[in-house]
Amino acid sequence: MSVYLRIGAAALTELLLFFIIGGLFPVRQEDGGLSVTETMCGGFLIEYSCLEAAALLCTYLAIPLSYSCFIWAGVIGLLCAASLVLRSRENLAALRKRLHFSKNTAWFALLLIGGAGFVVLSVLLSGGVDTTGIIAQMNTDLYEQSLSLADGRNGDLLQTMTTGAFLNRYYVGGEFFALLFNITALTQMKMIQQGITTLFFVMISSRIFGRLYDGRAGLTVLSVYLLMLLTLLTRTPYSTSTLILDTGWTGNAILLGILLPTILLMLLKLYEKPESRRLFLLFMCSGICAVSLSETALLLVPLVLTAGTLPIAVMKKAPALLLHLVLWVTFPLLMAVFCGYLPGGGAVV
């Protein structure tokens, strides 16, 4: 199989996994159709939570990367099987209803064309010399068949568990896909992950604008185009646009392009349905995802969850949300305190 086919297969597999896993907790729109974006966001949160748990366990037990890959694949396989067995029929019916011809088809096609161009452009612009330590760590892990137990700068085995063994583990999923599809770490992160981050950024933005404009397709598409244009025009070494366009494969970029917009989208849903069990689970997963992305996410995600949930709890007179909030932020805050006592070291800290 040529390298381009392997790249395409890896990208499609990752997106398909997000959709299938998210199908365990599907999101219906007002007309009964399936919300593909919100379903995939749920799949992203669940998959990254499983990834963080598997990475922590396999690193602590010093399980080789190839075996860790099979453990992670087994967990993801079980989730996919459960989704296909329990939800496939109703999800396919809702998806067909969502894809039926409507008056908004032209707007949807315009959004699809613009979004695809934005994703391709971001892949072409992907760079980030200052974050090549992540690629070095991934190459070291692939060569040594270990999970952050060898220093990415020189290949030496680490004598103590460092913060890099617990935090910033989002790239481990890239190692698994690079191993499974026989592609390089550079290709996996700077092409596949870059494209996925940008794609989610556009998809989630369209859903947020759609909610703010009560489903008016024209205003939604024009707002997304304006957002993409502003992102391109404000691309400088010191702007957040650079995270999306140049280094969309880093932890902070995934935080900015996927996790925070997903949390905002879920907070809008929480205002409508404060008793939703699905949202309770996904907010819990968002706290676990924060641990795997970056130290910034570790502190920012609990703050955003608190700032978003407290007003909803007051306005909806739902004191149970306060207890839920404590559960959502406990894990990332405990990990922040725990890792504060660990030494630094390694290429990714």
Side-chain angles (χ1 to χ4, degrees), residues 8 21 28 107 111 116 135 150 159-160 168 180 204 254 270 299 318:
I21 295 173
R28 299 284 188 270
W107 288 112
L111 178 62
I135 305 298
Q159 300 301 314
T160 59
N168 308 346
L180 288 172
I204 299 170
I254 297 174
L270 185 67
L299 299 177

Side-chain angles (χ1 to χ4, degrees), residues 125-282:
L125 293 174
S126 178
V129 176
D130 59 324
T131 50
T132 51
I134 298 171
I135 305 298
Q137 185 65 56
M138 292 178 65
N139 284 326
T140 301
D141 288 350
L142 290 168
Y143 180 78
E144 297 286 350
Q145 284 293 297
S146 67
L147 289 173
S148 297
L149 296 179
D151 194 328
R153 295 169 295 191
N154 51 34
D156 293 341
L157 292 177
L158 299 174
Q159 300 301 314
T160 59
M161 297 293 284
T162 67
T163 55
F166 292 93
L167 305 180
N168 308 346
R169 307 306 305 280
Y170 65 94
Y171 63 89
V172 173
E175 294 176 356
F176 290 158
F177 276 97
L179 193 63
L180 288 172
F181 289 92
N182 191 28
I183 56 179
T184 64
L186 191 68
T187 300
Q188 167 61 32
M189 301 305 282
K190 292 198 175 187
M191 291 185 67
I192 298 175
Q193 185 59 59
Q194 171 72 43
I196 288 175
T197 299
T198 315
L199 176 63
F200 267 84
F201 177 68
V202 174
M203 291 172 62
I204 299 170
S205 298
S206 69
R207 288 296 299 154
I208 292 175
F209 284 129
R211 286 188 169 276
L212 294 177
Y213 295 134
D214 291 327
R216 284 174 283 186
L219 284 174
T220 298
V221 174
L222 291 177
S223 297
V224 173
Y225 265 79
L226 179 61
L227 177 62
M228 292 189 293
L229 179 62
L230 290 175
T231 303
L232 288 170
L233 293 178
T234 57
R235 175 178 171 255
T236 71
Y238 309 102
S239 70
T240 53
S241 299
T242 303
L243 282 174
I244 300 295
L245 293 174
D246 290 56
T247 58
W249 43 277
T250 60
N252 282 331
I254 297 174
L255 167 69
L256 178 65
I258 302 180
L259 185 55
L260 289 182
T262 297
I263 291 175
L264 176 57
L265 187 58
M266 292 193 301
L267 287 172
L268 293 174
K269 294 282 290 187
L270 185 67
Y271 180 77
E272 300 172 358
K273 300 179 179 179
E275 73 287 347
S276 172
R277 294 182 179 180
R278 174 186 182 273
L279 291 176
F280 173 81
L281 172 66
L282 295 184

Side-chain angles (χ1 to χ4, degrees), residues 52-69:
E52 173 66 14
L56 286 175
L57 176 64
C58 295
T59 300
Y60 183 75
L61 297 178
I63 299 175
L65 178 62
S66 56
Y67 295 150
S68 303
C69 182

